[in-house]
Structures are given as structure tokens and as C-alpha cells.
Amino acid sequence: MELFTYYRSTSSYRVRLALALKGLDYRAVPVNLLSGEQHLPAYLAVNPQGRVPALRTENGQVLVQSAAIIEYLEQVYPEPALLPADAAARARVRGVAALIGCDVHPLHNVSVLNRLRACGFDEPAVYQWVQHWIGHGLQAVEQLLDDQGWCFGATPGLADVYLVAQLYAAQRFGLELSGYPRIARVAALAAQHPQWQAAHPARQADAPAQ
Amino acid sequence: MELFTYYRSTSSYRVRLALALKGLDYRAVPVNLLSGEQHLPAYLAVNPQGRVPALRTENGQVLVQSAAIIEYLEQVYPEPALLPADAAARARVRGVAALIGCDVHPLHNVSVLNRLRACGFDEPAVYQWVQHWIGHGLQAVEQLLDDQGWCFGATPGLADVYLVAQLYAAQRFGLELSGYPRIARVAALAAQHPQWQAAHPARQADAPAQ
């Protein structure tokens, strides 16, 4: 498999985490969002939306959108499972993933922040915008999680993948986790697991040298 | 089942469409987003995020986030199916749904537009913001759809549910469909089907009288 990815992209990070948890090998193809590689014809031929991630499967099909890619991986490589079997339990897990994937991350991706700047936002206003939406989202997530273990249960799953990737962005934007004990507990669990660390933005080939 | 809904909410409309396509009965519980009912303690006890839709299942469980609710309905009430069986085909359908559900709709929901106003956007600037994101998203969707029938194939599915609900918002914000022949084709198919019309915002009990 080939993953079109950018080290700091939240949604690329989610897919890297899902691949890592399932122990799947892939080749990373970096797409530099800062230099605009996502808008070049070569990449638009892969994904007409000009966004990362995109996954080229073992059969050569190109899939787009992290939510669709991870559900594909879950179906084709079911073990270890990222979703429980019970329908309502799946909905709880997918609900937290969707809350982060729809109501938090899209409000602070590169293109939205650049649009805000073009509309006259200065950097402090951009920063406040991001903090507002991450704060609101994480407050709701905190209330939806279980009281122990990962987001839901003893093994990591889809909600953890979304949450951990989101926390990297949250911390870049200066958010403190002290008000979110359940979320902080999940972050601490992820920090102890080598699989999670291999997917971390700082560990990617396209990340700047430290 | 009980659906907490607001007539004009894009994500509530999606769930109403999924319920209608599957022929499922439910009781609509209107939540007035303009008067702020979603922030009252009675509703926050249903959904701590203070957003619609939420679905109370036949077993009394409350599910949140339209993507998670529709996947639940697909698992528990599999016929007619909103997703194909093949993993890569499912990913194509879910990819278009996620593009709309993550990269278009969240940028123009009520709370985001209100935040833009609070940040100094006047109404023409808000309008331009919405048109920008809907236009970008629909341009990408147009390239991902099949050349005939619904979004993908001869029967409507998850991508159609997302697209038709999004088009209602697009038309409220003055978007012309003439540049999007595939999307316009799907819109025309939906307009001919009575199930789709029953879920329309204008047909809901909480819609203002025409």
C-alpha cells in the first residue's frame, strides 16, 4: 500500500495510527502541503480534492478521506478490530470519531486557516479561533468517554486514533489537558505504546530535523 | 425511535433521508437551534455536545453524530442497503460522504457562522465564506461521481443522502448547479422520489408555514 501523507496533517496521522495498530506495512509518499504540492496536477490526478491523506491499496485503487480509508482497513484487515461488534457500541465509538473529524479538525486545517488570514484574521485571531473549536470539541468528547482504559474499553480503537491525532494539533496550539482527565488518561496510554509513537508526526521522513 | 432534529439542519436532514430510504418510522423531536434550545440543560442531558441530530434507538440508547447514526441504521436495518458490499466500493461512497460531512458542511453550520459574525464578518463576508467552501467541495465531489444514475449506481445510497442534504444548504446560499452536471443529475433524481420529499426541510413539523 502507498499512503500519500504530510507529517503534520491530522487526518494523515489518523490513517498512520490505524495502519500501525493493525501492523500493516505501507510506503509513505510525502505531499508537502506548505509548498502547495497538493495543488499540482500530479497529485490532483491521485486525489481531485487536493487533500491528504489518500491510500493506494494493494489492488491499486486510490481511496480518499481518512474516515473512508480507515473503515476500508477495518473491513479488509479486521484484526485487531478498531470497532466493537455491537451496533450501538460501534455508534458510540464512531460518534466520538465523527465529532472530532467533523466538528473540530475541519475548522483548523491548513486551507481554513489560510482562508481566515485572507479574510483579515491576524495570527492572534487565528490562534483564538483554533483554541475555541478545539476547546469546545474536547469538552464534549470528555463527557462521552468511559471512566477507565482507552476511550472505550481495554484496547485502543477508532475513537483513540481520532483523539490522539487531534491532541497533537491541540498541543501545537497551546491547549492544556489538565481540564480533561479522561482525555489526558488516553493520551498517557498512547504515549507508552511503541506503535503509537512510530506514527507520530515527528517520526515521519518528511518531518523537519529536530 | 426518536430523532432530535431541526428542520433546516443539514445533518438532521441526512438522518431523515436515511430513515426514509429504509422505510423506518420515528418520532421527530424538534430542537430549535435559532432560539438556543440545544444549549438548555434538558437537551444537553440528551447530547452533551448540544448539537442535532441525536437518535434515541428502540432500545433507549442515545446516539450522536449523523455519520455514526446512519452507520448504526445500516447495520441494524440493512435493507435497502446504503453502502455496497465490496470494501473499495464502500470506500468510494464513504469518501464522498466524508468529503461533504467533514470539508463542506462543518464550515457553514450555525455555530461557525455565528462565530465568524462575532469575529467581525458582516453578512456579505459570511455569504462569501459559505459559497467558497460549498463551491470547493462540490467541485471535488463532481469529479468523484459516476457518469450515470445516482452518485454511485442505480440505487440511492450514503453519498446521495449527504449530497442531497448539502444541496439544500447550497441552494439557500445561492449556489448554481449548472456547473455540476453529475450533481445536478442526482438532484433531479431525488426530486422525483416521494421518500426524498418527505424528509425535506420544508415538510417538517418545525418548519415555518410557507
Side-chain angles (χ1 to χ4, degrees):
Chain A
M1 288 188 279
E2 280 185 326
L3 180 67
F4 297 86
T5 172
Y6 178 59
Y7 78 103
R8 215 165 62 172
S9 142
T10 303
S11 45
S12 299
Y13 187 9
R14 282 177 207 148
V15 177
R16 293 197 306 262
L17 283 171
L19 289 161
L21 286 174
K22 289 183 176 290
L24 296 169
D25 276 333
Y26 66 96
R27 190 170 82 89
V29 183
V31 179
N32 189 328
L33 301 191
L34 285 194
S35 73
E37 272 180 23
Q38 73 277 27
H39 303 306
L40 298 180
Y43 188 67
L44 292 175
V46 173
N47 179 3
Q49 198 193 359
R51 298 258 178 125
V52 290
L55 182 78
R56 200 188 305 273
T57 69
E58 287 170 330
N59 301 325
Q61 290 142 321
V62 175
L63 313 181
V64 300
Q65 289 285 334
S66 61
I69 294 170
I70 297 173
E71 292 275 357
Y72 170 88
L73 294 173
E74 180 75 353
Q75 184 174 351
V76 176
Y77 308 97
E79 299 296 335
L82 300 180
L83 287 167
D86 173 71
R90 284 165 92 87
R92 277 188 80 200
V93 174
R94 283 193 178 116
V96 165
L99 195 165
I100 295 170
C102 301
D103 293 333
V104 182
H105 170 246
L107 297 167
H108 69 71
N109 70 28
V110 173
S111 55
V112 169
L113 299 190
N114 283 341
R115 187 77 189 167
L116 288 172
R117 292 180 182 110
C119 290
F121 275 47
D122 59 14
E123 290 310 305
V126 166
Y127 195 86
Q128 260 197 319
W129 170 272
V130 177
Q131 283 213 320
H132 174 83
W133 294 113
I134 293 180
H136 266 246
L138 294 186
Q139 274 167 37
V141 168
E142 178 72 15
Q143 294 176 73
L144 295 168
L145 302 187
D146 277 352
D147 282 329
Q148 52 184 334
W150 294 84
C151 286
F152 299 102
T155 53
L158 185 72
D160 303 285
V161 160
Y162 272 72
L163 180 58
V164 168
Q166 182 59 53
L167 291 179
Y168 170 72
Q171 287 164 333
R172 276 174 58 215
F173 286 101
L175 199 100
E176 288 286 337
L177 289 188
S178 52
Y180 308 97
R182 291 172 179 144
I183 290 173
R185 180 196 78 217
V186 173
L189 279 174
Q192 295 161 13
H193 280 246
Q195 288 154 305
W196 293 76
Q197 294 315 303
H200 192 278
R203 299 273 294 272
Q204 304 313 300
D206 60 331
Q210 298 290 305
Chain B
M1 289 188 279
E2 280 185 327
L3 180 67
F4 297 86
T5 172
Y6 178 59
Y7 78 104
R8 215 166 62 173
S9 143
T10 303
S11 45
S12 299
Y13 187 7
R14 283 176 206 150
V15 176
R16 293 196 306 262
L17 284 171
L19 288 161
L21 286 174
K22 289 181 176 290
L24 297 169
D25 277 332
Y26 65 95
R27 189 170 82 88
V29 183
V31 180
N32 190 327
L33 301 191
L34 285 194
S35 73
E37 273 180 21
Q38 74 276 27
H39 303 307
L40 298 180
Y43 188 67
L44 291 175
V46 173
N47 179 2
Q49 199 194 358
R51 299 258 179 124
V52 289
L55 182 78
R56 200 188 304 274
T57 70
E58 287 170 331
N59 301 324
Q61 290 143 321
V62 175
L63 313 181
V64 300
Q65 290 285 333
S66 61
I69 294 169
I70 296 172
E71 292 275 358
Y72 170 89
L73 295 173
E74 180 74 354
Q75 183 174 352
V76 176
Y77 308 98
E79 297 297 332
L82 300 180
L83 287 167
D86 173 72
R90 285 165 91 86
R92 277 188 80 200
V93 174
R94 283 194 178 116
V96 165
L99 195 164
I100 296 169
C102 301
D103 293 333
V104 181
H105 170 246
L107 296 166
H108 69 72
N109 71 26
V110 173
S111 55
V112 169
L113 299 190
N114 283 341
R115 186 79 190 167
L116 289 171
R117 292 181 183 110
C119 291
F121 274 49
D122 59 15
E123 288 311 305
V126 166
Y127 195 86
Q128 259 197 322
W129 170 271
V130 177
Q131 282 214 321
H132 174 83
W133 295 113
I134 293 179
H136 266 245
L138 294 187
Q139 275 168 35
V141 168
E142 178 72 14
Q143 295 176 72
L144 295 169
L145 300 188
D146 277 352
D147 283 329
Q148 51 185 333
W150 294 85
C151 286
F152 300 101
T155 53
L158 185 71
D160 303 285
V161 160
Y162 271 73
L163 180 58
V164 169
Q166 182 60 52
L167 291 179
Y168 170 72
Q171 286 163 335
R172 277 173 58 214
F173 286 101
L175 199 100
E176 287 286 338
L177 288 188
S178 52
Y180 308 97
R182 293 174 178 142
I183 290 173
R185 180 196 77 219
V186 173
L189 279 174
Q192 295 161 13
H193 280 246
Q195 288 152 305
W196 292 76
Q197 294 315 303
H200 192 278
R203 298 274 294 274
Q204 304 311 302
D206 59 330
Q210 298 289 307

